[in-house]
Amino acid sequence: MKAYNLDAIGDKPALAQMQVPSPAKGEIRIRITACGLNFADLLMIEGKYQDTPNAPFVLGMEVAGVVDDLGEGVTSPAVGTRVAVFAGKGGLAEYGCFPAERAIPLPDSISDVEAAGFQIAYGTSHLALDYKARLQPGETLLVLGAAGGVGLTAVEIGKVMGARVIACARGADKLEIAKQHGADHLIDAKTEDIRDVVKSLGGADVVYDPVGGDQFEAAFRATNPDGRLLTIGFASGTVPPVKANHMLVKNLTVIGMYWGGYLKFNAKALTDSLATLFQWHSEGKIKPHVSHTLPLDRVEEGLALLRDRKSTGKVVITI
């Protein structure tokens, strides 16, 4: 089979011919049809992601496809079932073996391409806004990086939860995408002062930040007393310092949020969240936005779109 493999941390990954794997005890094998790309894939190549596997390994964190073999002790999902899996690795290949307990049977309402880019982005935003920040109807939500893979889902989910959403992104085209997905107010990070605009709109009660750097600092200063700031990631490349004295004076809460970590200590929180999200999708409340769909032999183009911030929503590789 073909697979996009990384031989050593820091090397350039490449397509390689590999043996089709056999499922171990507790695993299923999937004939993979689509794999969502994530900024974390770029970090893994450099060994900078918090859950970087030991090399060599096949890249690709989240997949959709069809179950085609069962390992020892596995009875479901049955062979032929269409599923999505948060894999962590191994998704950019024609076949992959993954723990059966992570497989989610897919409703007819969602395509393989949508499902492959659904779990991490929507799962992160829903768990962050609902379970962690307890976003309430009528509150103001500021979303940084609002046209990106996770940011756009935060805009959508914030609206479904009844918030007033301020979307911050770079450039008119990206802001238009955020507007189409429900944003009430728009901030162009290229030309506008985030702090001044947010304060002029009454401040933020909850901040969703996958960007970090100077944007976190501006959002921090524009957060209302008793506000909550979610640190989702650092796409800017800069981890911002947190001023604990300002947190104290304004009664602010800064909340770390790593979706994949819940698999290790509270997997039920993830499965409950995903069940809600798939129900919302079937009801038409959320609609995944995939800006680019590319074949397996063009993975490098897809990763470059993420690296250069030229994508909106998700980039998905079809296999």
Side-chain angles (χ1 to χ4, degrees):
M1 69 173 187
K2 293 179 181 178
Y4 194 66
N5 191 61
L6 181 69
D7 285 330
I9 299 300
D11 282 0
K12 184 178 180 180
L15 273 180
Q17 287 289 338
M18 305 180 73
Q19 290 291 324
V20 175
S22 296
K25 184 178 180 179
E27 291 185 337
I28 57 174
R29 184 172 69 198
I30 296 175
R31 177 174 57 79
I32 299 169
T33 56
C35 179
L37 296 185
N38 292 274
F39 195 80
D41 292 312
L42 295 171
L43 297 178
M44 282 187 186
I45 293 169
E46 299 177 0
K48 295 180 179 179
Y49 189 59
Q50 56 262 30
D51 269 348
T52 299
N54 293 325
F57 65 91
V58 174
L59 288 157
M61 299 181 69
E62 53 182 340
V63 302
V66 178
V67 178
D68 90 326
D69 198 8
L70 306 179
E72 180 186 346
V74 178
T75 57
S76 66
V79 170
T81 304
R82 204 166 59 97
V83 297
V85 176
F86 170 65
K89 64 175 181 176
L92 288 168
E94 294 177 306
Y95 291 87
C97 294
F98 311 106
E101 63 187 12
R102 293 193 187 182
I104 301 173
L106 294 174
D108 293 338
S109 61
I110 192 166
S111 70
D112 287 9
V113 167
E114 288 178 317
F118 189 89
Q119 292 180 89
I120 294 176
Y122 279 97
T124 294
S125 293
H126 182 256
L127 203 68
L129 295 174
D130 183 56
Y131 182 79
K132 297 287 280 186
R134 309 294 184 189
L135 179 68
Q136 300 298 308
E139 288 191 312
T140 296
L141 167 66
L142 169 63
V143 180
L144 305 178
V150 291
L152 195 59
T153 65
V155 171
E156 277 192 284
I157 289 169
K159 287 303 295 180
V160 173
M161 293 179 68
R164 181 180 68 143
V165 179
I166 304 172
C168 179
R170 298 177 66 84
D173 292 346
K174 291 185 175 182
L175 288 171
E176 179 58 30
I177 295 291
K179 182 179 179 181
Q180 291 172 9
H181 283 73
D184 299 290
H185 303 280
L186 308 174
I187 301 174
D188 191 334
K190 281 184 178 179
T191 59
E192 296 182 276
D193 186 298
I194 295 171
R195 174 179 177 268
D196 287 349
V197 176
V198 174
K199 287 183 73 69
S200 74
L201 293 170
D205 301 306
V206 175
V207 174
Y208 183 97
D209 178 23
V211 178
D214 292 342
Q215 291 194 27
F216 174 88
E217 172 67 20
F220 185 92
R221 296 172 67 194
T223 302
N224 291 329
D226 210 25
R228 292 88 75 202
L229 296 97
L230 292 153
T231 59
I232 306 299
F234 311 103
S236 67
T238 302
V239 178
V242 178
K243 296 180 179 178
N245 57 330
H246 290 188
M247 288 176 61
L248 183 154
V249 171
K250 293 178 69 175
N251 287 289
L252 300 180
T253 304
V254 178
I255 306 170
M257 172 63 201
Y258 168 43
W259 184 80
Y262 278 83
L263 286 170
K264 300 174 183 177
F265 62 87
N266 189 0
K268 188 177 186 298
L270 292 189
T271 55
D272 288 350
S273 172
L274 287 170
T276 296
L277 289 165
F278 278 118
Q279 181 63 34
W280 284 358
H281 182 276
S282 68
E283 295 171 355
K285 292 181 178 178
I286 54 176
K287 184 172 177 56
H289 175 72
V290 178
S291 65
H292 296 80
T293 304
L294 300 168
L296 184 58
D297 60 3
R298 294 172 62 186
V299 173
E300 291 179 12
E301 290 180 47
L303 291 172
L305 289 167
L306 298 184
R307 185 185 299 111
D308 300 334
R309 301 185 192 183
K310 292 184 177 179
S311 62
T312 56
K314 293 293 289 191
V315 177
V316 174
I317 302 299
T318 56
I319 301 166

